[in-house]
Each structure stands twice: as structure tokens, then as C-alpha cells.
């Protein structure tokens, strides 16, 4: 009986968390983003060729996701340099906080002008998906939880 009550308490806590998400799907690049329902989508639902933009907290927190063709089969390092290296080199006041490279994705976190910029790039055959989050630097403690709530779902290649 005690285990059953613990299970019901667990479901009561988890169920509202699971129910508080929305989903955006991009049919051109074959991915969906699950994001917290407190965000409002600013991109037209049918615009799959443009980055999708979501905002919350009176515009202070932003999420953007986009798919990009990779017909030249660039490596993750190539994608990193094309997307970040020139920008970072041109803005020496940027504070790179963290960079992580994996087999099929990388993450970059930097601070610029009081804003945190977080990027997660996932490589797939013939394409890559770039997810970004921007929020005020003083709210850095919220970033881990928010990034954990952002799921990019893709079918197996």
C-alpha cells in the first residue's frame, strides 16, 4: 500500500510537468522541438524554412531552432567554425563559459553584454539542427533546467 501511495504521489508531481509542454515540428528537416508552454511562438506555424522563435518572460528569454542543409558533409568542427568562430573572433569581449563536443553534437555557452547565449548543434546525415537559448546572465541558474526541458526529437536516420 505504501508503494502504491508513493507511486500516486510521483504521478501527481510528474504529470503536471509533462502536461506543461508544447511541440513545434519542422517537416522540411524532420524534427520536433518540445518546449515549455510558457513560451509563445513568434514564427508562423507553416514557416519551416525560417528559424522558429519562441519567447517568454516578457521577451527576456528566447529560444530559436532551425534546420540547415549539410550537403557538403561538414564535420562538427566545420559547423562550429562556420557558426561561431568568426563571430567570437570579431567580439573579443565575449566570455566563453563552456564548450562540449560529442560524437554528433556540440554545445557552446557564452556571455555577451549581460546576456547568456547557449547553443546546441546536432548533426544528422545531410543536415544539422541548431537550437539556441538566450536569457539574462543573472538568471544563469535557470539555464540547466530550461535546456533539460528542450527536447529535439528526430527519427532514426
Amino acid at each position: 500500500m505504501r508503494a502504491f501511495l508513493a507511486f500516486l504521489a510521483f504521478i501527481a508531481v510528474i504529470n503536471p510537468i509533462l502536461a506543461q509542454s508544447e511541440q513545434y515540428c519542422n517537416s522540411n528537416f524532420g524534427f520536433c522541438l518540445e518546449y515549455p508552454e510558457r513560451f509563445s511562438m513568434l514564427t508562423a506555424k507553416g514557416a519551416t524554412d525560417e528559424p522558429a522563435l519562441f519567447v517568454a518572460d516578457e521577451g527576456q528569454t528566447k529560444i530559436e531552432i532551425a534546420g540547415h542543409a549539410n550537403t557538403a558533409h561538414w564535420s562538427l568542427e566545420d559547423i562550429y567554425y562556420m557558426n561561431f568562430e568568426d563571430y567570437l573572433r570579431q567580439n573579443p569581449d565575449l566570455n566563453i563559459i563552456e564548450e562540449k563536443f560529442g560524437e554528433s553534437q556540440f554545445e557552446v555557452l557564452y556571455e555577451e553584454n549581460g546576456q547568456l547565449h547557449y547553443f546546441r548543434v546536432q548533426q544528422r546525415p545531410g543536415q544539422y539542427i541548431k537550437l539556441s537559448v538566450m536569457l539574462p546572465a543573472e538568471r544563469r541558474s535557470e539555464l540547466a533546467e530550461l535546456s533539460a526541458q528542450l527536447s529535439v526529437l528526430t527519427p532514426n536516420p
Side-chain angles (χ1 to χ4, degrees):
M1 180 68 169
R2 191 179 248 178
F4 180 70
L5 290 175
F7 176 74
L8 287 179
F10 174 76
I11 294 298
V13 169
I14 294 299
N15 196 29
I17 293 170
L18 294 176
Q20 296 178 1
S21 67
E22 297 287 332
Q23 190 175 72
Y24 159 77
C25 292
N26 181 307
S27 59
N28 286 354
F29 289 95
F31 68 84
C32 293
L33 171 68
E34 288 188 1
Y35 61 94
E37 74 174 355
R38 68 185 176 95
F39 283 84
S40 298
M41 185 174 183
L42 295 183
T43 307
K45 290 217 182 237
T48 57
D49 56 340
E50 295 290 324
L53 177 63
F54 309 85
V55 297
D57 309 321
E58 298 177 0
Q60 291 186 9
T61 307
K62 298 176 184 172
I63 299 168
E64 186 175 283
I65 189 164
H68 299 275
N70 187 5
T71 55
H73 307 289
W74 299 308
S75 69
L76 277 177
E77 290 79 13
D78 293 335
I79 295 168
Y80 170 84
Y81 286 113
M82 288 185 325
N83 282 276
F84 302 105
E85 189 63 25
D86 285 340
Y87 184 73
L88 296 173
R89 188 177 21 247
Q90 294 169 4
N91 297 287
D93 59 330
L94 294 182
N95 177 23
I96 298 174
I97 299 168
E98 189 173 348
E99 294 177 323
K100 291 182 195 175
F101 279 82
E103 187 175 315
S104 62
Q105 77 173 24
F106 68 83
E107 299 177 38
V108 176
L109 175 63
Y110 67 87
E111 183 179 338
E112 178 183 30
N113 298 325
Q115 296 289 312
L116 282 178
H117 299 264
Y118 167 78
F119 294 90
R120 183 187 319 150
V121 176
Q122 295 175 269
Q123 187 178 32
R124 298 178 62 206
Q127 63 182 343
Y128 62 96
I129 301 164
K130 184 168 73 171
L131 171 70
S132 64
V133 177
M134 189 176 84
L135 70 156
E138 66 267 10
R139 294 182 34 221
R140 181 176 178 185
S141 62
E142 299 172 28
L143 183 59
E145 181 181 346
L146 177 57
S147 65
Q149 294 173 346
L150 301 173
S151 290
V152 178
L153 310 170
T154 59
N156 291 331

